[in-house]
Amino acid sequence: MSDSPTRILLADDHALVRRGVRLILDAEPDLTVLAEADDGAEAVTRAREHRPDLAVLDIAMPRLTGLQAARELSRTCPETRILILTMYDNEQYFFEALGSGASGYVLKSVADRDLVEACRATMRGEPFLYPGAVDALIGDHLDRVREGGTGSSRTLTDREEEILKLVAEGHTSQQIADLLVISPKTAERHRANVLQKLGLKDRLELTRYALRVGLIEP
């Protein structure tokens, strides 16, 4: 690693959390927060502007979740490494985080203890896993060996997941079209596909589903 500090983008929709995390990181001589974002879409924009070495992303954020932002960053800013910072001690999110290109998963409850080490490990090219995650990984591997399969693939495409989240947040087709720079007709088609794939009837059921899988917060 070079002598210059690791440049970090910090994304969380709670200003108080960002302030606390920033204090932890900026106290270290080898780490510096150069930009902040309060939702996943802004995180992607800031990353394109600043090209940080590392992005620390919360999972539950408006417009794009941290996992959606991580997938987008993996595609558009491959040189930026990614850490997920979350309150969810949850195997599903952990596996999705790894699948979205993140190098590590840090629980907010122990951020003051783990976050600095996680940042340094990620910049050394090493994965950072919280203790429960190791058990989850081993359990998942054994399950898949027993089933003789490779694990189920995600039902929805990345774009369909974006649409699902925005519909659940109450955006109209026109607003979704404007946000994603697509036509309202395309937004409607995606929405219909999502309902059909998930076997849901209407926006209420769709919102309940989005809550259950953690795309939006209650």
Side-chain angles (χ1 to χ4, degrees), residues 143-175:
D143 286 346
R144 281 191 286 161
V145 168
R146 273 196 294 271
E147 288 163 13
T150 55
S152 61
S153 61
R154 289 168 58 244
T155 315
L156 302 179
T157 65
D158 291 353
R159 177 43 59 94
E160 285 168 348
E161 196 178 271
E162 283 178 307
I163 301 271
L164 163 61
K165 179 173 169 58
L166 292 168
V167 170
E169 286 177 347
H171 295 280
T172 65
S173 292
Q174 184 61 59
Q175 288 169 328

Side-chain angles (χ1 to χ4, degrees), residues 4-78:
S4 56
T6 296
R7 297 155 56 256
I8 298 170
L9 164 69
L10 177 57
D12 193 297
D13 57 327
H14 297 104
L16 212 60
V17 174
R18 288 204 309 276
R19 194 179 313 152
V21 172
R22 184 169 197 144
L23 283 171
I24 293 170
L25 297 175
D26 281 345
E28 303 298 322
D30 57 330
L31 305 172
T32 182
V33 176
L34 86 154
E36 295 184 24
D38 61 11
D39 65 52
E42 190 188 353
V44 172
T45 302
R46 292 271 176 276
R48 286 177 181 150
E49 278 171 26
H50 298 283
R51 298 285 164 176
D53 304 310
L54 176 65
V56 177
L57 308 172
D58 179 31
I59 285 187
M61 292 189 289
R63 290 169 71 207
L64 288 180
T65 66
L67 298 175
Q68 290 173 323
R71 285 199 288 273
E72 186 62 27
L73 289 181
S74 297
R75 276 200 298 269
T76 58
C77 305

